[in-house]
């Protein structure tokens, strides 16, 4: 029998995540840019994507997923990004903390901690991997905080405690943001805040910060991933700075697949 093409072996499907994620918009752009006319992007969730990835990887079957760094999947599996010569996925991205307008005057202490927040891919990875291995997010976050007091002190030094002020952090259930939001929730709680974590989809997350129904989010992927949301809500949110640089989105495949570029999906 003749070898099937990459597309045939994958039923021309790219395994995506939640439909509002920026990586999904970027992938639709890639489908157009690379003229992947027969291909479909299947939406679902971050958890469903990693379950499909595990199933295919364990059976050494072909799979293409919408992937991003930082993520524990690169520690778990031997994976590679497909080269993106047309730049559909942009270049180096950053994770930004965004706050509702008015946050600084209403909650100066929280505004300062959120602006100070920054950590490395490895530090986030410790929390993400503990959660992947079955730890509750709040327990994994507390363990990291307990073992990294000096890092947390960088974010909170000189900041006065408050007395039970309510604060709402919006996020999407991406492994990276489950980790960061749980860590920040505990840090703000230790400063006296009454913290609510609001798990929503990406569109409602940006909308909540823009309309003030959430106070902040640690999940702003910029400049490209969430460009559409940032433009839509320009002037209705404050960028509190980057918590991590050198992050990335793209199409990810197991290393055992002998393709190297998005161009190869056309074969
Ligand atoms: C899945 S990445 C963390 C963010 C995004 O694609 O919107």
């Amino acid at each position: 029998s003749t070898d099937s093409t990459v597309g045939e072996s994958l039923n021309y499907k790219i395994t995506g995540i939640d439909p509002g994620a920026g990586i999904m918009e970027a992938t639709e752009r890639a489908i157009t840019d690379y003229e992947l006319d027969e291909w479909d992007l299947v939406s679902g969730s971050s958890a469903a994507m990693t379950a499909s990835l595990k199933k295919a990887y364990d059976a050494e079957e072909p799979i293409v997923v919408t992937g991003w760094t930082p993520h524990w999947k690169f520690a778990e599996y031997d994976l590679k990004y497909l080269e993106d010569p047309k730049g559909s996925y942009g270049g180096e991205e950053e994770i930004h903390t965004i706050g509702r307008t008015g946050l600084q005057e209403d909650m100066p202490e929280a505004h300062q901690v959120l602006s100070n927040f920054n950590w490395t891919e490895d530090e986030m990875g410790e929390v993400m991997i503990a959660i992947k291995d079955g730890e509750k997010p709040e327990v994994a976050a507390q363990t990291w905080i307990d073992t990294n007091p000096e890092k947390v002190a960088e974010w909170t030094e000189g900041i006065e405690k408050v007395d039970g002020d309510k604060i709402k952090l919006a996020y999407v259930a991406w492994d990276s943001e489950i980790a960061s939001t749980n860590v920040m929730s505990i840090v703000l709680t230790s400063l006296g805040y009454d913290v609510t974590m609001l798990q929503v989809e990406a569109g409602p997350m940006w909308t909540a910060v823009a309309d003030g129904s959430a106070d902040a989010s640690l999940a702003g992927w910029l400049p490209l991933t969430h460009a559409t949301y940032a433009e839509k809500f320009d002037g209705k949110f404050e960028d509190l700075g980057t918590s991590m640089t050198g992050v990335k989105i793209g199409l990810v495949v197991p290393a055992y697949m002998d393709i190297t570029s998005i161009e190869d999906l056309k074969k």
Side-chain angles (χ1 to χ4, degrees), residues 139-197:
V139 174
Q142 186 64 62
T143 302
W144 186 86
I145 287 168
D146 295 344
T147 48
N148 292 274
E150 73 295 336
K151 185 75 182 187
V152 176
E154 282 176 25
W155 308 335
T156 59
E157 66 188 310
I159 295 175
E160 295 290 313
K161 288 207 171 194
V162 299
D163 182 16
D165 299 27
K166 289 188 183 307
I167 188 166
K168 192 174 283 186
L169 301 178
Y171 72 108
V172 185
W174 302 315
D175 300 282
S176 29
E177 279 62 36
I178 292 168
S180 57
T181 306
N182 275 277
V183 165
M184 182 49 70
S185 171
I186 293 170
V187 170
L188 289 170
T189 302
S190 70
L191 283 171
Y193 283 98
D194 175 3
V195 184
T196 299
M197 292 186 291

Side-chain angles (χ1 to χ4, degrees), residues 13-44:
K13 298 237 178 300
I14 295 171
T15 302
I17 58 170
D18 40 291
I23 200 169
M24 299 295 275
E25 181 185 11
T27 302
E28 292 295 357
R29 188 167 48 240
I31 288 172
T32 304
D33 295 346
Y34 292 91
E35 298 171 352
L36 302 177
D37 309 333
E38 299 136 304
W39 286 73
D40 283 317
L41 171 57
V42 178
S43 61

Side-chain angles (χ1 to χ4, degrees), residues 10-267:
L10 286 156
N11 290 323
Y12 296 95
K13 298 237 178 300
I14 295 171
T15 302
I17 58 170
D18 40 291
I23 200 169
M24 299 295 275
E25 181 185 11
T27 302
E28 292 295 357
R29 188 167 48 240
I31 288 172
T32 304
D33 295 346
Y34 292 91
E35 298 171 352
L36 302 177
D37 309 333
E38 299 136 304
W39 286 73
D40 283 317
L41 171 57
V42 178
S43 61
S45 67
S46 174
M49 178 273 284
T50 50
S52 300
L53 177 60
K54 173 173 174 38
K55 186 166 177 284
Y57 194 88
D58 290 348
E60 209 165 324
E61 284 166 0
I63 187 168
V64 180
V65 301
T66 52
W68 64 99
T69 302
H71 195 282
W72 53 262
K73 61 179 175 295
F74 294 100
E76 185 86 0
Y77 311 116
D78 186 5
L79 304 171
K80 59 188 176 185
Y81 278 98
L82 292 181
E83 287 156 22
D84 172 22
K86 293 178 186 293
S88 307
Y89 290 94
E92 186 175 306
E93 289 281 285
E94 301 172 330
I95 307 179
H96 288 238
T97 301
I98 57 173
R100 67 176 171 78
T101 53
L103 184 69
Q104 186 157 27
E105 47 266 41
D106 299 344
M107 303 184 179
E109 296 81 5
H111 184 272
Q112 189 58 59
V113 177
L114 290 163
S115 302
N116 292 345
F117 177 58
N118 75 87
W119 60 345
T120 65
E121 182 181 337
D122 288 347
E123 289 167 331
M124 177 192 273
E126 287 169 40
V127 181
M128 269 198 291
I129 288 171
I131 295 169
K132 185 266 298 178
D133 288 342
E135 193 62 90
K136 284 196 174 67
E138 61 274 19
V139 174
Q142 186 64 62
T143 302
W144 186 86
I145 287 168
D146 295 344
T147 48
N148 292 274
E150 73 295 336
K151 185 75 182 187
V152 176
E154 282 176 25
W155 308 335
T156 59
E157 66 188 310
I159 295 175
E160 295 290 313
K161 288 207 171 194
V162 299
D163 182 16
D165 299 27
K166 289 188 183 307
I167 188 166
K168 192 174 283 186
L169 301 178
Y171 72 108
V172 185
W174 302 315
D175 300 282
S176 29
E177 279 62 36
I178 292 168
S180 57
T181 306
N182 275 277
V183 165
M184 182 49 70
S185 171
I186 293 170
V187 170
L188 289 170
T189 302
S190 70
L191 283 171
Y193 283 98
D194 175 3
V195 184
T196 299
M197 292 186 291
L198 179 69
Q199 183 187 311
V200 289
E201 297 298 315
M205 175 183 76
W206 275 89
T207 305
V209 175
D211 70 20
S213 56
D215 296 297
S217 171
L218 303 176
W221 279 62
L222 293 167
L224 178 126
T225 310
H226 289 169
T228 303
Y229 294 125
E231 282 151 26
K232 179 179 177 183
F233 296 115
D234 187 30
K236 296 184 177 155
F237 70 95
E238 183 188 357
D239 188 338
L240 303 183
T242 59
S243 63
M244 194 180 294
T245 57
V247 303
K248 180 179 171 59
I249 61 169
L251 289 185
V252 171
V253 299
Y256 54 70
M257 289 181 69
D258 61 0
I259 53 175
T260 57
S261 168
I262 299 176
E263 302 270 15
D264 296 334
L265 297 180
K266 271 189 76 62
K267 287 179 186 145

